[in-house]
C-alpha cells in the first residue's frame, strides 16, 4: 500500500529476485488468509447476511482492504529493515514487551481451548457416535502440535494451501448453490447502513472481523520463513498479500451470500459462535441433501483447523523471537537486532521457546475443554484480543514513519491514511469490547 517505487538492492539481492512471473512464489499470503479466517469470522458474516441481506457487503469488502494495509505494512517492515516486527516493537519501549508477554500468555491459553473446540465440532458432527466433542478437540490440538513440531515452514505452507483449496471449493459451491441475487449483491456494494439500533457498531464489527488478528503481525515472520529477507522481494510480497485478502474476500462474500439467500429470505436465525455452523449444516441438509451438508462440514473443519495450526506456527515464531531478544539483551547490555535472516534459516522453528509455546497452546487449554473457561479469563481474553489490533496499527504507523525504516520505504499518505483508519476502527471496537464486559462481577 505504500506509494514508494522501491529502493536500490545489493548485487546479492538482485541475484535472488524472481525474474519471471511472481505467481509461483505465492505462499505466506495463503497462510495468513487461512489462519485469519476462522469459524467465528464465517459465522459473523453469515449472521450479517441473515440479518441484513446484502446491505453490508460493502463493509466486508472494506474489511479486506483494511487488512491488506496492515499485513503489507508488517511485511514491508521485515523486508525494508531486515529486522523482525518484535525487534521493532522493542525499540519503542519496554511497554510493548510487557503488552506482548501478557497478551501471548493469557490470549494463547484461552485461544488454545477455543481453537480445539472449533476444530472438534465439525468432526463430531461428521462422526457423531465416535467420541465426545472434548476428545475431538484434544485430538485436533495434539495433531496440530505434532504436525507443527516435526515440520518446517515449507511443508506447513503446502498443507495450508491444500486446506485453503478445500475451503475455497466448499464456500464457492455453497454461494453458487443458493443462487445469489446479483442485482441485490451489486447494490450491497453501496455504503448504506441498516436501519436498526447499533447499526454503526455492527457495521464496524463486521469490517474489523474480516480475517485476522495477531496473524497479521505473524505475516512478516512467514514472509521471512519463506526466504524473503530483503527489498528485492517487495513486489512479490505485495502481490502475495493482495492474493491473501482477495482469497479472504471470496470466503467472506460467499458466506454472506449464503446468509442472505438461505437464512435472510426464510427469516431463519442461527446461534452466534461455532455452533451456528453446525446449525447451518442441518439447514443445508434439509434444503439440499446430505451430501451438501457433509461437504460443508468438511469445509468447516478445514476453516477451523487451518486457524489452529496457523496460530500454533505463527505465534510460536513470534514468541521464540521475543525470547531470543530477551536472551541476547541479558548477555549484552546494548540492543542486538533480531533479523529476518535468522527466521529464514529455520532456527526459530527448531528452538526450545518455539516448542515451549506450542506446548502452552496445546496442553494447559485442555483443562478448559473439560472444566469450562473461568469467568475472569473470558473477560481478559476478550479485552486483550480487542486491544491487539489498535496496538498493531498504531505501532506500525510509528515504526514506518520514523528513522527506523529506510527513507524510500517509509509510509506515504495512502499507507498512513489506511493505517490510521484501521487504528481508529479497532480503537472504537476495543473501547466497545471493554465497556461491554461485566466488570462488576470481575472484582
Amino acid at each position: 500500500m505504500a506509494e514508494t517505487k522501491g529502493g536500490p538492492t545489493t548485487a546479492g539481492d538482485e541475484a535472488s529476485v524472481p525474474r519471471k512471473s511472481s505467481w509461483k512464489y505465492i505462499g505466506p499470503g495463503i497462510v495468513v488468509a487461512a489462519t485469519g479466517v476462522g469459524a467465528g469470522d464465517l459465522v459473523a458474516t453469515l449472521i450479517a447476511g441473515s440479518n441484513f441481506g446484502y446491505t453490508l457487503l460493502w463493509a466486508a469488502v472494506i474489511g479486506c482492504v483494511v487488512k491488506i494495509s496492515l499485513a503489507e505494512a508488517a511485511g514491508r517492515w521485515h523486508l525494508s529493515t531486515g529486522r523482525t516486527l518484535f525487534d521493532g516493537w522493542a525499540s519503542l519501549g519496554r511497554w510493548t514487551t510487557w503488552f506482548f508477554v501478557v497478551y501471548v500468555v493469557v490470549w494463547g491459553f484461552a485461544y488454545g481451548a477455543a481453537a480445539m473446540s472449533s476444530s472438534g465440532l465439525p468432526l463430531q458432527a461428521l462422526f457423531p457416535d465416535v467420541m465426545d466433542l472434548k476428545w475431538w478437540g484434544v485430538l485436533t490440538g495434539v495433531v496440530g502440535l505434532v504436525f507443527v513440531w516435526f515440520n518446517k515452514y515449507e511443508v506447513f505452507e503446502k498443507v495450508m494451501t491444500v486446506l485453503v483449496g478445500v475451503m475455497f471449493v466448499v464456500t464457492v459451491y455453497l454461494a453458487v448453490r443458493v443462487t445469489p441475487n446479483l442485482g441485490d449483491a451489486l447494490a450491497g456494494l453501496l455504503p448504506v447502513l441498516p436501519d436498526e439500533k447499533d447499526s454503526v457498531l455492527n457495521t464496524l464489527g463486521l469490517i474489523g472481523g474480516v480475517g485476522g488478528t495477531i496473524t497479521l503481525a505473524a505475516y512478516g515472520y512467514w514472509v521471512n520463513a519463506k526466504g524473503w529477507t530483503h527489498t528485492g522481494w517487495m513486489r512479490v510480497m505485495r502481490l502475495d498479500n493482495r492474493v491473501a485478502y482477495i482469497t479472504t474476500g471470496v470466503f467472506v462474500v460467499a458466506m454472506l451470500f449464503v446468509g442472505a439467500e438461505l437464512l435472510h429470505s426464510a427469516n431463519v436465525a442461527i446461534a452466534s459462535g461455532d455452533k451456528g455452523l453446525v446449525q447451518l449444516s442441518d439447514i443445508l441438509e434439509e434444503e439440499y441433501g446430505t451430501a451438501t451438508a457433509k461437504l460443508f462440514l468438511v469445509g468447516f473443519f478445514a476453516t477451523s483447523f487451518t486457524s489452529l495450526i496457523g496460530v500454533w506456527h505463527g505465534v510460536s515464531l513470534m514468541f521464540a523471537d521475543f525470547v531470543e531478544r530477551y536472551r541476547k539483551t541479558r548477555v549484552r547490555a546494548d540492543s542486538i537486532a533480531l533479523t529476518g535472516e535468522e527466521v529464514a534459516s529455520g532456527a526459530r522453528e527448531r528452538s526450545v521457546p518455539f516448542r515451549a509455546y506450542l506446548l502452552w497452546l496445546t496442553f494447559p487449554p485442555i483443562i478448559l475443554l473439560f472444566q469450562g473457561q473461568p469467568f475472569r479469563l473470558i473477560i481478559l481474553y476478550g479485552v486483550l484480543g480487542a486491544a491487539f489490533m489498535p496496538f498493531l496499527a498504531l505501532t506500525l504507523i510509528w515504526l514506518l514513519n520514523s528513522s527506523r525504516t529506510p527513507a524510500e520505504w517509509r509510509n506515504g499518505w495512502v499507507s498512513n491514511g489506511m493505517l490510521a483508519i484501521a487504528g481508529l476502527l479497532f480503537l472504537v471496537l476495543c473501547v466497545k469490547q471493554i465497556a461491554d464486559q461485566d466488570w462488576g462481577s470481575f472484582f
Side-chain angles (χ1 to χ4, degrees):
M1 298 295 294
E3 310 74 58
T4 52
K5 296 290 185 182
T9 58
T10 67
D13 291 347
E14 289 289 354
S16 59
V17 174
R19 298 185 180 279
K20 296 183 180 180
S21 172
S22 300
W23 289 98
K24 68 178 182 180
Y25 296 98
I26 298 302
I30 296 297
V31 171
V32 77
T35 307
V37 180
D41 298 293
L42 296 187
V43 171
T45 311
L46 191 68
I47 291 177
S50 67
N51 289 339
F52 309 118
Y54 295 102
T55 305
L56 293 181
L57 180 59
W58 63 273
V61 173
I62 287 179
C64 291
V65 175
V66 167
K67 300 297 175 63
I68 284 176
S69 67
L70 283 165
E72 187 275 341
R76 177 155 45 92
W77 166 265
H78 277 248
L79 294 183
S80 65
T81 65
R83 299 163 63 188
T84 64
L85 184 55
F86 183 80
D87 195 52
W89 284 339
S91 73
L92 300 178
R94 290 189 176 182
W95 66 275
T96 60
T97 299
W98 284 112
F99 176 83
F100 179 78
V101 171
V102 174
Y103 180 86
V104 295
V105 171
V106 177
W107 179 88
F109 184 42
Y111 179 84
M116 287 187 276
S117 177
S118 178
S119 297
L121 267 173
L123 293 177
Q124 186 194 38
L126 284 167
F127 310 104
D129 301 322
V130 175
M131 55 183 169
D132 186 71
L133 171 61
K134 297 181 181 65
W135 290 108
W136 279 117
V138 171
L139 178 62
T140 60
V142 172
V143 169
L145 167 72
V146 172
F147 171 72
V148 174
W149 188 293
F150 289 105
N151 289 293
K152 298 301 179 284
Y153 175 79
E154 292 79 5
V155 176
F156 166 71
E157 182 189 288
K158 286 181 173 62
V159 171
M160 292 287 272
T161 301
V162 171
L163 291 174
V164 165
V166 173
M167 294 166 59
F168 189 89
V169 169
V170 171
T171 54
V172 171
Y173 167 76
L174 288 178
V176 173
R177 190 69 192 266
V178 299
T179 316
N181 186 316
L182 297 181
D184 289 347
L186 289 174
L189 294 174
L190 297 175
V192 176
L193 291 175
D195 187 20
E196 295 193 17
K197 182 182 178 181
D198 294 331
S199 62
V200 173
L201 289 174
N202 288 333
T203 303
L204 292 178
L206 179 61
I207 294 173
V210 177
T213 51
I214 194 171
T215 56
L216 290 168
Y219 177 65
Y221 287 85
W222 285 322
V223 163
N224 287 158
K226 180 75 169 176
W228 306 345
T229 58
H230 55 75
T231 56
W233 290 99
M234 196 70 75
R235 179 185 296 179
V236 178
M237 181 276 291
R238 286 171 168 164
L239 173 63
D240 177 78
N241 178 46
R242 292 183 187 113
V243 169
Y245 283 95
I246 290 172
T247 304
T248 299
V250 170
F251 295 148
V252 171
V253 169
M255 292 307 292
L256 192 139
F257 281 5
V258 172
E261 292 296 338
L262 191 63
L263 304 178
H264 181 71
S265 58
N267 198 26
V268 175
I270 62 170
S272 61
D274 300 341
K275 291 184 178 178
L277 294 184
V278 176
Q279 285 181 268
L280 179 60
S281 73
D282 295 335
I283 296 169
L284 288 170
E285 185 169 10
E286 292 178 7
E287 292 288 330
Y288 304 113
T290 302
T292 297
K294 298 294 185 187
L295 180 64
F296 169 72
L297 289 172
V298 170
F300 177 6
F301 171 74
T303 300
S304 298
F305 193 64
T306 51
S307 293
L308 186 151
I309 61 175
V311 167
W312 264 227
H313 187 276
V315 184
S316 295
L317 268 181
M318 296 180 69
F319 181 78
D321 200 47
F322 152 71
V323 173
E324 181 64 16
R325 181 179 178 86
Y326 179 77
R327 185 188 68 80
K328 285 185 175 182
T329 53
R330 291 278 299 208
V331 174
R332 290 176 55 182
D334 58 326
S335 176
I336 302 175
L338 300 171
T339 68
E341 294 283 357
E342 293 173 294
V343 178
S345 71
R348 294 283 190 272
E349 295 169 279
R350 298 188 294 271
S351 68
V352 171
F354 180 90
R355 290 174 171 172
Y357 194 72
L358 271 178
L359 295 173
W360 174 254
L361 282 168
T362 306
F363 290 109
I366 289 174
I367 299 171
L368 301 182
L369 289 177
F370 286 89
Q371 295 186 353
Q373 295 188 17
F375 179 73
R376 287 182 176 84
L377 180 63
I378 294 174
I379 289 181
L380 290 175
Y381 171 68
V383 170
L384 285 170
F388 185 82
M389 291 302 284
F391 167 80
L392 176 62
L394 297 175
T395 53
L396 283 172
I397 291 176
W398 191 344
L399 289 171
L400 292 168
N401 285 285
S402 72
S403 60
R404 298 172 181 85
T405 304
E408 64 268 30
W409 297 109
R410 291 176 197 165
N411 280 357
W413 67 271
V414 174
S415 292
N416 278 326
M418 292 302 298
L419 290 175
I421 290 170
L424 181 61
L425 163 67
F426 292 117
L427 189 61
V428 170
L429 293 175
C430 177
V431 170
K432 181 180 185 298
Q433 179 76 19
I434 293 172
D436 287 346
Q437 299 297 336
D438 187 6
W439 293 105
S441 302
F442 183 87
F443 297 103

